[in-house]
Amino acid sequence: MADSDLVFPGDEVAVEEEYIASDGTFAENGVIYASQIGVLELDDDNCVARVISPNPPNILAVGDIVYAVVADIRNTMATADVVGKDGVDRTLGGETYATIHVSKISQGYTDDVSKELRKGDFIRAKVTGIKPSLQLTTKDNHLGVIRSLCSKCKSEMVKKGTGLFCPECKYSVPRKLADDYGDVKI
C-alpha cells in the first residue's frame, strides 16, 4: 500500500458524474468523500468508489455466532449482553444489547424462559436479526448455556443429564445447554 493510496475521512475521492459512492464513502453535492481511513479503490468496471479499511470495525451480522451473558429474564424473552464474536478477539462495535424470544430458545416447546436460561448464564448464540434490534437464538445443539454458576452458592454447575447440578448444594436445575457445556474455555 503506497501512502498516496491512503485516504482519510473528509478527503475528496471522486465525483458522482463518474462514480457511485459505496463502502467507506459518502456523497454530498456531487462530490464523493472518504468516510473512513483506508485505501481508495476506484472500480472503473462498475463505476464504484470505495474505501477499504485495513482494520474494519467488528460489527455483528445475521448468522454470526456470539458469546453473551444473560442479563434478565422476562415472561416471553431473555435479554443478554453480547461480549464477543466467535473467532474474533477484537471488541465489538455497535449494539451489544440483545433479546432472545421464548420461541428461539429451544428446539422443543417451552413456555417458561426461566426453565431454559437464568440471569448470569454464559451462552453461545446465533444472531438472527440486527434491525430494529439485536436478536439471538439458542435453538441449535451447539448453542445455549456454556457456563453457569449456582444461584445459591455461586459454585460452577456441572452437566447432569439434560440439566445442571451443583456439587456443593446438591441443587439441580433445567437449562438449554450447548452440546459442549463444561468443555468451553472462557
Side-chain angles (χ1 to χ4, degrees):
M1 166 171 63
D3 287 340
S4 61
D5 296 338
L6 193 64
V7 295
F8 294 88
D11 285 356
E12 184 177 324
V13 296
V15 292
E16 283 190 295
E17 291 172 353
E18 297 176 8
Y19 295 96
I20 297 169
S22 185
D23 299 332
T25 66
F26 67 95
E28 191 174 282
N29 299 326
V31 179
I32 299 174
Y33 298 93
S35 63
Q36 64 186 16
I37 296 174
V39 177
L40 175 63
E41 181 181 278
L42 296 175
D43 179 348
D44 292 330
D45 294 335
N46 297 306
C47 298
V48 171
R50 66 177 61 88
V51 174
I52 310 298
S53 174
N55 193 12
N58 186 12
I59 303 294
L60 295 177
V62 172
D64 284 344
I65 302 298
V66 296
Y67 295 95
V69 178
V70 176
D72 196 15
I73 300 294
R74 300 191 184 141
N75 291 340
T76 60
M77 70 175 196
T79 60
D81 295 314
V82 177
V83 295
K85 183 164 69 171
D86 192 39
V88 180
D89 290 336
R90 296 181 52 213
T91 58
L92 294 169
E95 184 65 48
T96 59
Y97 176 81
T99 59
I100 310 167
H101 189 268
V102 66
S103 66
K104 303 285 187 191
I105 293 174
S106 179
Q107 290 176 351
Y109 174 77
T110 186
D111 61 353
D112 187 353
V113 177
S114 67
K115 289 182 182 171
E116 306 289 344
L117 301 171
R118 294 278 172 93
K119 187 175 179 177
D121 284 349
F122 288 89
I123 61 170
R124 181 187 302 117
K126 183 189 292 184
V127 176
T128 60
I130 51 173
K131 291 188 181 193
S133 63
L134 187 57
Q135 300 125 49
L136 307 175
T137 181
T138 57
K139 272 189 163 185
D140 297 343
N141 287 338
H142 198 57
L143 306 177
V145 178
I146 57 173
R147 182 172 183 244
S148 184
L149 301 178
C150 176
S151 60
K152 293 181 178 183
C153 72
K154 303 301 180 210
S155 295
E156 188 150 347
M157 304 284 281
V158 296
K159 185 175 180 179
K160 185 173 184 181
T162 59
L164 294 176
F165 175 74
C166 175
E168 298 296 318
C169 307
K170 311 298 185 226
Y171 177 63
S172 292
V173 290
R175 285 289 204 292
K176 170 30 178 122
L177 300 176
D179 58 4
D180 58 350
Y181 179 91
D183 296 332
V184 181
K185 301 291 182 232
I186 298 176

Short mmCIF file of all heavy atoms in Angstrom, two decimals, residues 95-119:
data_model
loop_
_atom_site.label_atom_id
_atom_site.label_comp_id
_atom_site.label_asym_id
_atom_site.label_seq_id
_atom_site.Cartn_x
_atom_site.Cartn_y
_atom_site.Cartn_z
N GLU A 95 -24.28 -2.19 18.49
CA GLU A 95 -25.22 -2.66 19.50
C GLU A 95 -24.80 -4.00 20.09
O GLU A 95 -24.47 -4.93 19.36
CB GLU A 95 -26.61 -2.78 18.86
CG GLU A 95 -27.71 -3.16 19.82
CD GLU A 95 -27.97 -2.09 20.87
OE1 GLU A 95 -28.09 -0.91 20.51
OE2 GLU A 95 -28.05 -2.44 22.06
N THR A 96 -24.82 -4.12 21.43
CA THR A 96 -24.48 -5.38 22.09
C THR A 96 -25.59 -5.86 23.02
O THR A 96 -25.49 -6.93 23.59
CB THR A 96 -23.17 -5.27 22.89
OG1 THR A 96 -23.30 -4.24 23.86
CG2 THR A 96 -21.99 -4.99 21.97
N TYR A 97 -26.66 -5.09 23.17
CA TYR A 97 -27.81 -5.47 23.99
C TYR A 97 -28.74 -6.28 23.08
O TYR A 97 -29.19 -5.81 22.04
CB TYR A 97 -28.52 -4.22 24.52
CG TYR A 97 -29.79 -4.51 25.29
CD1 TYR A 97 -29.73 -4.89 26.62
CD2 TYR A 97 -31.03 -4.42 24.69
CE1 TYR A 97 -30.89 -5.16 27.35
CE2 TYR A 97 -32.20 -4.68 25.39
CZ TYR A 97 -32.12 -5.05 26.72
OH TYR A 97 -33.27 -5.33 27.43
N ALA A 98 -29.03 -7.53 23.47
CA ALA A 98 -29.80 -8.41 22.60
C ALA A 98 -30.98 -9.04 23.34
O ALA A 98 -30.99 -9.10 24.56
CB ALA A 98 -28.90 -9.52 22.07
N THR A 99 -31.94 -9.52 22.56
CA THR A 99 -33.08 -10.23 23.12
C THR A 99 -33.14 -11.63 22.51
O THR A 99 -32.71 -11.86 21.38
CB THR A 99 -34.41 -9.50 22.82
OG1 THR A 99 -34.57 -9.36 21.41
CG2 THR A 99 -34.45 -8.15 23.49
N ILE A 100 -33.68 -12.57 23.31
CA ILE A 100 -33.92 -13.93 22.85
C ILE A 100 -35.38 -14.24 23.17
O ILE A 100 -35.75 -14.35 24.35
CB ILE A 100 -33.00 -14.94 23.56
CG1 ILE A 100 -31.54 -14.50 23.50
CG2 ILE A 100 -33.17 -16.34 22.94
CD1 ILE A 100 -30.63 -15.29 24.42
N HIS A 101 -36.20 -14.35 22.15
CA HIS A 101 -37.63 -14.64 22.35
C HIS A 101 -37.78 -16.08 22.80
O HIS A 101 -36.99 -16.96 22.43
CB HIS A 101 -38.40 -14.39 21.05
CG HIS A 101 -39.87 -14.46 21.23
ND1 HIS A 101 -40.58 -15.63 21.05
CD2 HIS A 101 -40.78 -13.52 21.60
CE1 HIS A 101 -41.86 -15.40 21.28
NE2 HIS A 101 -42.01 -14.12 21.63
N VAL A 102 -38.80 -16.37 23.61
CA VAL A 102 -39.03 -17.71 24.15
C VAL A 102 -39.08 -18.77 23.03
O VAL A 102 -38.61 -19.88 23.21
CB VAL A 102 -40.30 -17.74 25.03
CG1 VAL A 102 -41.55 -17.48 24.20
CG2 VAL A 102 -40.41 -19.04 25.79
N SER A 103 -39.59 -18.41 21.86
CA SER A 103 -39.69 -19.36 20.75
C SER A 103 -38.35 -19.65 20.09
O SER A 103 -38.24 -20.57 19.29
CB SER A 103 -40.67 -18.84 19.70
OG SER A 103 -40.17 -17.66 19.10
N LYS A 104 -37.31 -18.86 20.43
CA LYS A 104 -35.99 -19.02 19.82
C LYS A 104 -34.98 -19.64 20.77
O LYS A 104 -33.79 -19.67 20.49
CB LYS A 104 -35.45 -17.65 19.37
CG LYS A 104 -36.34 -16.90 18.41
CD LYS A 104 -36.28 -17.49 17.05
CE LYS A 104 -37.05 -16.62 16.07
NZ LYS A 104 -37.23 -17.26 14.81
N ILE A 105 -35.44 -20.14 21.93
CA ILE A 105 -34.51 -20.67 22.94
C ILE A 105 -34.20 -22.14 22.73
O ILE A 105 -33.05 -22.56 22.78
CB ILE A 105 -35.06 -20.41 24.36
CG1 ILE A 105 -35.06 -18.91 24.64
CG2 ILE A 105 -34.21 -21.15 25.39
CD1 ILE A 105 -35.69 -18.51 25.95
N SER A 106 -35.24 -22.94 22.51
CA SER A 106 -35.07 -24.39 22.48
C SER A 106 -35.79 -24.98 21.27
O SER A 106 -36.77 -24.40 20.79
CB SER A 106 -35.64 -25.00 23.76
OG SER A 106 -35.52 -26.38 23.76
N GLN A 107 -35.31 -26.13 20.78
CA GLN A 107 -35.96 -26.78 19.65
C GLN A 107 -37.35 -27.28 20.04
O GLN A 107 -38.26 -27.28 19.24
CB GLN A 107 -35.11 -27.94 19.13
CG GLN A 107 -33.85 -27.46 18.46
CD GLN A 107 -32.94 -28.58 18.02
OE1 GLN A 107 -33.14 -29.74 18.35
NE2 GLN A 107 -31.91 -28.23 17.28
N GLY A 108 -37.50 -27.71 21.28
CA GLY A 108 -38.81 -28.16 21.76
C GLY A 108 -39.63 -26.97 22.25
O GLY A 108 -39.16 -25.85 22.32
N TYR A 109 -40.89 -27.25 22.58
CA TYR A 109 -41.77 -26.19 23.08
C TYR A 109 -41.39 -25.81 24.51
O TYR A 109 -41.13 -26.67 25.34
CB TYR A 109 -43.23 -26.67 23.06
CG TYR A 109 -44.17 -25.67 23.70
CD1 TYR A 109 -44.56 -24.53 23.00
CD2 TYR A 109 -44.64 -25.85 25.00
CE1 TYR A 109 -45.42 -23.61 23.58
CE2 TYR A 109 -45.50 -24.93 25.58
CZ TYR A 109 -45.87 -23.81 24.87
OH TYR A 109 -46.71 -22.90 25.44
N THR A 110 -41.34 -24.53 24.76
CA THR A 110 -41.13 -24.04 26.12
C THR A 110 -41.99 -22.80 26.32
O THR A 110 -42.11 -21.98 25.41
CB THR A 110 -39.65 -23.74 26.42
OG1 THR A 110 -39.52 -23.40 27.80
CG2 THR A 110 -39.11 -22.60 25.59
N ASP A 111 -42.62 -22.72 27.49
CA ASP A 111 -43.44 -21.54 27.78
C ASP A 111 -42.88 -20.74 28.95
O ASP A 111 -43.43 -19.74 29.34
CB ASP A 111 -44.89 -21.94 28.06
CG ASP A 111 -45.02 -22.87 29.26
OD1 ASP A 111 -43.98 -23.31 29.79
OD2 ASP A 111 -46.16 -23.15 29.66
N ASP A 112 -41.75 -21.21 29.49
CA ASP A 112 -41.15 -20.55 30.65
C ASP A 112 -39.66 -20.35 30.41
O ASP A 112 -38.87 -21.30 30.47
CB ASP A 112 -41.38 -21.41 31.90
CG ASP A 112 -40.94 -20.72 33.18
OD1 ASP A 112 -40.32 -19.62 33.11
OD2 ASP A 112 -41.20 -21.28 34.26
N VAL A 113 -39.28 -19.12 30.11
CA VAL A 113 -37.89 -18.78 29.82
C VAL A 113 -36.98 -19.20 30.97
O VAL A 113 -35.87 -19.68 30.76
CB VAL A 113 -37.74 -17.27 29.52
CG1 VAL A 113 -36.30 -16.90 29.29
CG2 VAL A 113 -38.59 -16.88 28.33
N SER A 114 -37.43 -19.06 32.21
CA SER A 114 -36.58 -19.35 33.38
C SER A 114 -36.25 -20.84 33.52
O SER A 114 -35.36 -21.19 34.29
CB SER A 114 -37.22 -18.82 34.66
OG SER A 114 -38.40 -19.53 34.95
N LYS A 115 -36.93 -21.71 32.79
CA LYS A 115 -36.57 -23.14 32.80
C LYS A 115 -35.42 -23.44 31.85
O LYS A 115 -34.84 -24.51 31.88
CB LYS A 115 -37.78 -24.00 32.40
CG LYS A 115 -38.86 -24.05 33.45
CD LYS A 115 -39.98 -24.95 32.99
CE LYS A 115 -41.10 -24.99 34.02
NZ LYS A 115 -42.28 -25.69 33.51
N GLU A 116 -35.12 -22.49 30.97
CA GLU A 116 -34.10 -22.69 29.94
C GLU A 116 -32.84 -21.85 30.18
O GLU A 116 -31.74 -22.29 29.90
CB GLU A 116 -34.67 -22.36 28.57
CG GLU A 116 -35.95 -23.10 28.22
CD GLU A 116 -35.74 -24.58 27.96
OE1 GLU A 116 -34.59 -25.01 27.74
OE2 GLU A 116 -36.73 -25.32 27.98
N LEU A 117 -33.02 -20.63 30.67
CA LEU A 117 -31.91 -19.70 30.89
C LEU A 117 -32.10 -19.03 32.24
O LEU A 117 -33.22 -18.84 32.70
CB LEU A 117 -31.88 -18.64 29.79
CG LEU A 117 -31.73 -19.10 28.35
CD1 LEU A 117 -31.95 -17.93 27.40
CD2 LEU A 117 -30.38 -19.74 28.11
N ARG A 118 -31.00 -18.62 32.85
CA ARG A 118 -31.05 -17.85 34.10
C ARG A 118 -30.12 -16.66 34.00
O ARG A 118 -29.11 -16.68 33.30
CB ARG A 118 -30.59 -18.73 35.29
CG ARG A 118 -31.51 -19.88 35.60
CD ARG A 118 -32.70 -19.44 36.46
NE ARG A 118 -33.68 -20.49 36.60
CZ ARG A 118 -33.73 -21.37 37.58
NH1 ARG A 118 -32.84 -21.35 38.54
NH2 ARG A 118 -34.68 -22.28 37.62
N LYS A 119 -30.45 -15.64 34.77
CA LYS A 119 -29.61 -14.44 34.84
C LYS A 119 -28.19 -14.84 35.25
O LYS A 119 -28.01 -15.61 36.19
CB LYS A 119 -30.21 -13.46 35.85
CG LYS A 119 -29.53 -12.12 35.87
CD LYS A 119 -30.26 -11.17 36.80
CE LYS A 119 -29.56 -9.83 36.83
NZ LYS A 119 -30.26 -8.86 37.65
#
